[in-house]
Amino acid sequence: MVTASTLYVVPTPIGNLDDITYRALEVLKNVDVIAAEDTRNTRQLLKHFAINTQRLSAFHDHNEKQKTDYLLKKLQDGQSIALVSDAGTPLINDPGYYLVRRCRESAIRVIPLPGACAAITALSAAGVASNRFCYEGFLPAKKKGRQDTLQSLLEEPRTLIFFEAPHRLIESLQDMISVFGAQRYVVLARELTKKWESIYGAPVGELLDWVQQNEYRQRGEMVLIVEGYQALFDDALPKVALHTLALLRQTLPLKTAAKLTAEIHNVNKNSLYRHALNSKQDQINGS
């Protein structure tokens, strides 16, 4: 049962409709109004579960502030409202913040339901540190803004989570290489929970090559999970490993030398690679 004068924040599936919860269905069936980011998308979801679609009300980025007053009045009059986005948890890169804020200021009860979220779903399968992470939404569309944002995150030690659009994926990966370096580990999660779901991780230079090999790898809903910056301290790398790296670099490319050294001494390949790059940069600066 739903409660009068209550705003329910209701997550919806990000792909597979079976991921909706029983509680979410119960709320959607019984509230007075369903405030939807795109009524066309939500109407399809409701029809699939045989839920009345006549209570839909459009609530999106372009009308959020104006529509908030309308919805707030209904809540104050005793009606219940479910807030949904096109997919996933509302407010996560979707409209709703202003409405929730006004409800709390007006002592209107807000009840959040747990459910699907593409960012967390991707993180859970990425195989990178998940104890500390930060969600950054979409990178800026223009190159300078994108590179400035990445530069500001260059030494962020937490795992980074981004959403990305298919038509900007290549440019974003190229800018990550430019700012973070080709060895920063990145996971691309595509079409999560759908038929063509794909999760692939590699140093971003290799990831870009992998993506460009097949145009289908550049399609669909995307999440990028970026390994956080690991500050390099020479003392943290065994001297014997640094000695091996130095010897191998005399005859092998840096990437190969770092990989072999990591296997021989069981140390982090990326740390060895960054150490070599930093040492080279120090020599350039000192010359």
Side-chain angles (χ1 to χ4, degrees):
M1 294 297 294
V2 299
T3 306
S5 297
T6 301
L7 175 68
Y8 292 86
V9 182
V10 183
T12 54
I14 59 177
N16 191 323
L17 295 182
D18 288 340
D19 291 333
I20 200 163
T21 67
Y22 289 118
R23 187 181 177 200
L25 290 175
E26 190 68 19
V27 169
L28 292 174
K29 288 176 182 177
N30 290 287
V31 290
D32 298 300
V33 178
I34 300 173
E37 182 182 8
D38 188 325
T39 56
R40 294 168 298 181
N41 290 341
T42 302
R43 184 172 285 109
Q44 292 179 359
L45 174 71
L46 297 179
K47 284 184 176 179
H48 179 81
F49 291 105
I51 298 174
N52 180 11
T53 64
Q54 295 181 352
R55 293 166 291 127
L56 280 171
S57 180
F59 182 81
H60 45 72
D61 284 328
H62 302 294
N63 74 351
E64 180 174 3
K65 290 195 174 181
Q66 299 92 327
K67 203 62 175 286
T68 289
D69 290 335
Y70 166 79
L71 295 175
L72 194 62
K73 179 67 166 55
K74 286 187 173 295
L75 288 164
Q76 291 170 333
D77 288 343
Q79 295 193 30
S80 56
I81 296 176
L83 174 66
V84 299
S85 60
D86 285 349
T89 301
L91 280 79
I92 308 301
N93 223 82
D94 288 321
Y97 151 75
Y98 186 69
L99 173 60
V100 171
R101 180 71 172 267
R102 288 286 304 277
C103 285
R104 300 194 67 83
E105 291 173 347
S106 303
I108 297 292
R109 189 179 184 189
V110 178
I111 296 181
L113 275 61
C117 176
I120 301 303
T121 302
L123 179 63
S124 70
V128 298
S130 56
N131 58 319
R132 298 180 68 233
F133 58 88
C134 53
Y135 169 72
E136 292 290 329
F138 283 92
L139 284 165
K142 294 185 177 180
K143 186 178 185 68
K144 185 180 185 307
R146 190 164 54 242
Q147 290 192 339
D148 287 347
T149 296
L150 291 172
Q151 189 66 44
S152 72
L153 296 168
L154 175 60
E155 296 187 2
E156 170 57 63
R158 294 172 294 178
T159 295
L160 303 170
I161 304 177
F162 299 96
F163 287 163
E164 193 48 275
H167 64 280
R168 288 199 300 265
L169 176 63
I170 298 297
E171 293 177 347
S172 291
L173 293 177
Q174 290 172 336
D175 287 336
M176 286 183 182
I177 292 171
S178 175
V179 176
F180 293 158
Q183 291 303 306
R184 182 72 73 93
Y185 190 78
V186 177
V187 176
L188 170 62
R190 297 176 47 257
E191 296 290 83
L192 290 170
T193 78
K194 301 176 185 177
K195 181 178 180 180
W196 305 112
E197 176 180 278
S198 169
I199 302 173
Y200 185 85
V204 64
E206 296 178 22
L207 178 62
L208 176 60
D209 291 339
W210 181 81
V211 167
Q212 291 178 317
Q213 289 171 10
N214 189 327
E215 64 178 73
Y216 290 101
R217 296 170 183 169
Q218 304 170 36
R219 299 180 181 180
E221 300 289 335
M222 300 181 179
V223 183
L224 291 168
I225 308 291
V226 182
E227 187 175 47
Y229 175 79
Q230 298 176 18
L232 181 66
F233 300 100
D234 287 350
D235 291 343
L237 292 171
K239 290 184 179 180
V240 64
L242 297 179
H243 180 66
T244 301
L245 178 64
L247 290 175
L248 292 176
R249 286 185 64 193
Q250 295 177 12
T251 55
L252 296 173
L254 172 56
K255 185 176 178 180
T256 303
K259 181 179 179 181
L260 288 174
T261 302
E263 292 176 354
I264 293 170
H265 298 286
N266 193 29
V267 295
N268 185 273
K269 178 183 69 174
N270 290 341
S271 294
L272 288 166
Y273 188 87
R274 285 194 294 267
H275 165 80
L277 290 180
N278 288 350
S279 297
K280 183 177 179 180
Q281 188 62 46
D282 290 342
Q283 292 174 4
I284 293 174
N285 293 337
S287 62

